[in-house]
């Protein structure tokens, strides 16, 4: 009788593996005759439930009493096991982010793979074993320019671990570099796989279409949270079985099982969406570097405005810098960026005369304009002039935002909704005024000033329905829109052909944020949105593309760097500041967050958590209320831990986690390593 002990990772908050017994001749018929292997999924009893776990070790004996060990129900042996490399990636992530292994492994797998019933797996396996006949002629690739060619050569000639930072201005043809490098690798090896990560696939289906068209009959899988479960399973399996040669995905795809992975590409590597902001708060970019190093393959980080972390590594020589300095399309010029001083050119209904004039010009010429405003809703707050009342959310440290067309006040943090009060709740004054401007209010002003223009607003409110964002972008591409008004949703990756004006409204607030990363983000965002303009060759008699920024602080150095399109200069000045202030990337951080009924309870928990602790190389800062102190009546506090040594911080966190897990408390807490939102 064959008998083994399986150490299994389960998706539980308990930081341990669970022992189960596997017996070959048990009367459960679904048990396989072959021995189970690490990396296979196994259905096991857990309390009164049956749950799916992942076999991490196979042993002969357990340290636990035999009568306490339960039998495995079934091993999913129709599936080849997940590789040791994949297990190692999860183990690293678990260790680095201080989470139980099972909490990393299982949620990263498609839900249907984890279901009790194997029918869907068998069905999916069958379906992908006969891939649809898609053999279409691949679309022609443009000839690369010299800079692009150099970058491709550098990437494909490396046969081992090498991190590249591809720094290319917007429109310089970074995508072509990825695609050519991918094509060469696929040609030289019959089974190589390539992983391409993008920030938000839903917003950039153009890329997916380009990839599919370019590679004709090479199977491409996509992995992102917008897929239906069945699709997700099929795409995941195609990657796992080595059938998909290219996997295109969002941050979660960093955990894709790809047995023949030979290149990782991270497009727009600076984008904040590579950092997961809930549950396991991992950075897909950082994990990509680790994964590439472990597999000894190249990894390419591409951006027009790299994160300071990556830029610093490029400066120090740890990453190799590849630069694309010109726009790829002939005669496509970078847009001229100009500031409009709002102190001199006073805005009317949010628009300066300078911007209004430029909009009129574009309308006259039949060209498109984009107005960028990173604030949705009608107005961020309504107020009473008579007594000073403002529309605070009663549950959060935030204002209720006016959504005029829906006749609602909405809190964007806890989703509380109220009818707009007819009069001031405090003094009865009926004349309540909206303060400030959101996208809806700007839309109203534009409608007012340009009644014949065709407007389209794209923000989270206008695109709630599935597919509606895509429809909206298609309308812009078809030329059915004269003036597009949008939040950062419109900034990402779109190649608008007839867009010659970008107007930026009220970006100033980010310059004075409590968040030290705000100006880095603003610069990246503005560069990106500016990059939407002037992507095609200038037309005869047409205008040079322009970006007009309405600001009250025209002398701010961030704007000077922006006008000069000088990322290098801006990055250098920010890095100098960060080094002096001992902030990342010169310092490593972790944040312990606490949530409780009262602020006092949250703070008290944090103080207890560090009570009596000290470490020579780690700074434990005092507990503080979080910037958003209250959300949905939950009070939030945090405690920052810092060190100039990553190993010292990691060692401290490991020790600390054991203590934290042992604390008896009703406070909800989480530890985040490398936090970005402090
Ligand atoms: P980026 O990602 O760097 O902003 P893209 O990859 O979107 O730039 O390229 C911008 C435009 O330039 C696209 O329309 C692309 O098809 C075109 N392009 C890229 N490389 C070349 C090339 N070598 N010759 C001609 N056009 C190119
Ligand atoms: Zn009042
Ligand atoms: Zn609220």
């Amino acid at each position: 009788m064959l008998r083994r002990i399986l150490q299994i990772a389960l998706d539980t908050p308990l930081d341990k593996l669970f022992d189960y017994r596997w017996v070959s001749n048990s009367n459960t018929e679904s048990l396989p005759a072959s021995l189970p292997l690490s990396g296979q999924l196994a259905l096991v009893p857990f309390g009164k439930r049956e749950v799916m776990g992942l076999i991490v070790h196979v042993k002969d004996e357990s340290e636990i009493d035999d009568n306490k060990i339960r039998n495995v129900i079934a091993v999913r042996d129709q599936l080849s096991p997940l590789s040791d490399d994949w297990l190692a990636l999860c183990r690293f992530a678990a260790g680095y982010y201080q989470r139980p292994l099972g909490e990393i492994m299982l949620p990263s797998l498609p839900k249907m793979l984890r279901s009790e019933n194997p029918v869907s797996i068998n069905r999916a396996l069958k379906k992908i074993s006969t891939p649809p006949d898609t053999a279409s002629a691949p679309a022609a690739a443009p000839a690369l320019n010299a800079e692009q060619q150099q970058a491709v050569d550098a990437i494909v000639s490396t046969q081992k671990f090498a991190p590249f930072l591809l720094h290319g201005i917007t429109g310089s043809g970074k995508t072509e570099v990825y695609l050519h490098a991918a094509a060469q690798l696929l040609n030289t090896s019959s089974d190589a796989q390539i992983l391409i990560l993008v920030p938000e696939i839903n917003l950039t289906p153009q890329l997916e279409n380009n990839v599919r068209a370019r590679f004709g009959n090479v199977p491409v899988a996509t992995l992102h949270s917008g897929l239906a479960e069945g699709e997700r399973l099929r795409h995941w399996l195609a990657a796992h079985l080595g059938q998909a040669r290219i996997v295109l995905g969002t941050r979660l795809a960093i955990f894709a099982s790809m047995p023949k992975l030979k290149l990782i590409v991270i497009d727009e590597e600076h984008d904040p969406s590579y950092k997961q902001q809930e549950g396991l708060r991992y950075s897909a970019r950082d994990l990509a570097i680790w994964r590439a190093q472990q597999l000894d393959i190249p990894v390419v980080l591409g951006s027009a405005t790299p994160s300071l972390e990556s830029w610093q590594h490029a400066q120090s020589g740890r990453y190799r810098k590849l630069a694309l300095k010109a726009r790829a399309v002939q005669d496509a010029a970078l847009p001229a960026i100009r500031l409009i001083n709002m102190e001199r050119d006073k805005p009317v209904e949010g628009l300066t005369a300078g911007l209004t004039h430029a909009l009129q010009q574009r309308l006259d010429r039949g060209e498109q304009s984009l107005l960028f405003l990173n604030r949705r809703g009608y107005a961020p707050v309504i107020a009473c002039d008579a007594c000073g009342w403002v529309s605070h959310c009663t549950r959060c440290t935030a204002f209720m935002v006016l959504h005029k067309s829906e006749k609602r006040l909405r809190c964007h943090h806890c989703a509380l909704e109220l009818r707009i009060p007819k009069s001031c709740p405090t003094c009865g004054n009926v004349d309540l005024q909206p303060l400030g401007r959101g996208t809806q209010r700007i839309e109203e002003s534009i409608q007012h000033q340009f009644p014949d223009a065709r407007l389209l607003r794209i923000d989270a409110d206008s695109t709630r329905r599935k597919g509606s964002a895509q429809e909206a972008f298609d309308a812009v591409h078809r030329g059915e829109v004269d003036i597009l008004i949008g939040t950062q949703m419109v900034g990402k990756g779109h190649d608008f052909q007839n867009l010659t004006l970008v107007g930026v409204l009220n970006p100033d607030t980010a310059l004075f944020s409590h968040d030290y990363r705000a100006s880095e983000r603003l610069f990246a965002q503005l560069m990106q949105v500016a990059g939407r303009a002037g992507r095609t060759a200038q037309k005869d008699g047409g205008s040079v593309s322009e970006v007009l920024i309405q600001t009250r602080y025209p002398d701010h150095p961030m704007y000077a760097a922006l006008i000069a399109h000088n990322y290098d200069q801006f990055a250098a000045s920010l890095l100098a500041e960060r080094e002096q202030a001992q902030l990342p990337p010169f310092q490593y951080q972790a944040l312990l967050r606490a949530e409780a009924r009262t602020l006092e309870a949250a703070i008290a928990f944090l103080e207890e958590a560090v009570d009596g602790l000290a470490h020579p190389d780690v700074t434990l800062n005092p507990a503080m209320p979080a910037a958003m102190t209250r959300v949905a009546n939950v009070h939030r506090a945090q405690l920052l831990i810092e060190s100039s040594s990553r190993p010292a911080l990691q060692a401290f966190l490991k020790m600390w986690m054991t203590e934290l897990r042992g604390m008896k408390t009703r406070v909800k807490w989480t530890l985040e390593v490398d936090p970005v939102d402090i």
Side-chain angles (χ1 to χ4, degrees), residues 231-505:
E231 273 179 305
R232 171 130 186 247
L233 176 62
R234 280 199 301 283
H235 286 252
W236 186 91
L237 283 172
H240 174 66
L241 299 174
Q243 203 179 78
R245 306 288 303 283
I246 298 180
V247 173
L248 191 60
T250 51
R251 64 167 179 259
L252 60 86
I254 194 56
F255 286 109
S257 161
M258 297 178 68
K260 302 287 178 188
L261 184 56
K262 292 289 178 288
L263 169 68
I264 307 178
V265 171
I266 305 188
D267 189 26
E268 309 292 0
E269 67 90 32
H270 65 279
D271 197 287
S273 61
Y274 285 120
K275 178 78 201 284
Q276 170 130 315
Q277 290 292 40
E278 66 208 4
L280 171 66
R281 294 168 172 245
Y282 65 95
S283 154
R285 181 187 66 216
D286 295 352
L287 288 178
I289 300 286
W290 192 89
R291 195 170 182 183
Q293 182 154 27
Q294 183 219 8
L295 295 175
D296 207 20
I297 59 170
V299 52
V300 181
L301 311 180
S303 176
T305 51
S307 64
L308 287 184
E309 280 76 6
S310 301
W311 188 249
Q312 169 62 13
H313 283 317
Q315 299 301 93
S316 74
R318 206 178 102 103
Y319 293 178
R320 221 173 117 189
K321 191 155 77 185
L322 305 168
L324 305 180
K325 297 205 165 83
R327 284 204 151 175
V329 172
Q330 233 179 8
D331 298 331
L334 275 178
I337 301 179
R338 296 202 187 91
L339 303 177
I340 299 182
N341 185 345
M342 290 163 82
E343 297 297 339
R344 286 202 213 121
D345 183 351
K346 296 256 191 256
V348 178
E349 293 189 49
L351 299 176
T352 54
L355 185 54
T356 310
H357 175 72
L359 283 168
Q360 186 61 57
Q361 265 187 341
R362 295 326 188 276
L363 287 173
D364 294 343
R365 283 206 287 266
E367 296 168 357
Q368 290 177 313
S369 304
L370 161 66
L371 291 180
F372 172 72
L373 171 62
N374 223 352
R375 178 175 267 160
R376 64 193 171 89
Y378 185 85
V381 59
I382 59 170
C384 168
D385 273 348
C387 76
W389 173 87
V390 285
S391 55
H392 282 288
C393 174
T394 51
R395 296 150 35 102
C396 305
T397 335
F399 294 119
M400 301 283 290
V401 177
L402 173 60
H403 288 250
K404 193 177 169 195
S405 52
E406 297 99 318
K407 301 194 174 61
R408 283 276 189 279
L409 290 178
R410 245 186 227 149
C411 172
H412 289 178
H413 299 276
C414 72
L416 180 67
E417 278 204 21
L418 300 172
R419 245 177 293 157
I420 301 171
K422 293 211 166 56
S423 59
C424 172
T426 319
C427 74
N429 171 16
V430 289
D431 191 20
L432 295 176
Q433 292 296 331
L435 292 184
R437 263 156 238 282
T439 45
Q440 294 179 5
R441 193 168 186 189
I442 289 297
E443 184 184 19
E444 193 181 88
S445 316
I446 297 284
Q447 216 146 40
H448 196 199
Q449 295 191 41
F450 304 99
D452 297 329
R454 297 167 301 170
L455 309 186
L456 183 68
R457 173 168 60 84
I458 299 188
D459 57 27
D461 296 313
S462 76
T463 55
R464 260 178 228 285
R465 192 170 44 77
K466 197 173 180 216
S468 55
Q470 192 44 42
E471 284 163 28
F473 286 120
D474 288 345
V476 183
H477 288 298
R478 282 196 304 267
E480 293 163 13
V481 175
D482 299 317
I483 302 177
L484 175 64
I485 300 156
T487 55
Q488 39 103 24
M489 276 181 75
V490 297
K492 290 187 184 175
H494 288 278
D495 212 348
F496 299 123
Q497 296 290 312
N498 192 29
L499 187 81
T500 60
L501 173 67
V502 172
V504 179
L505 310 175

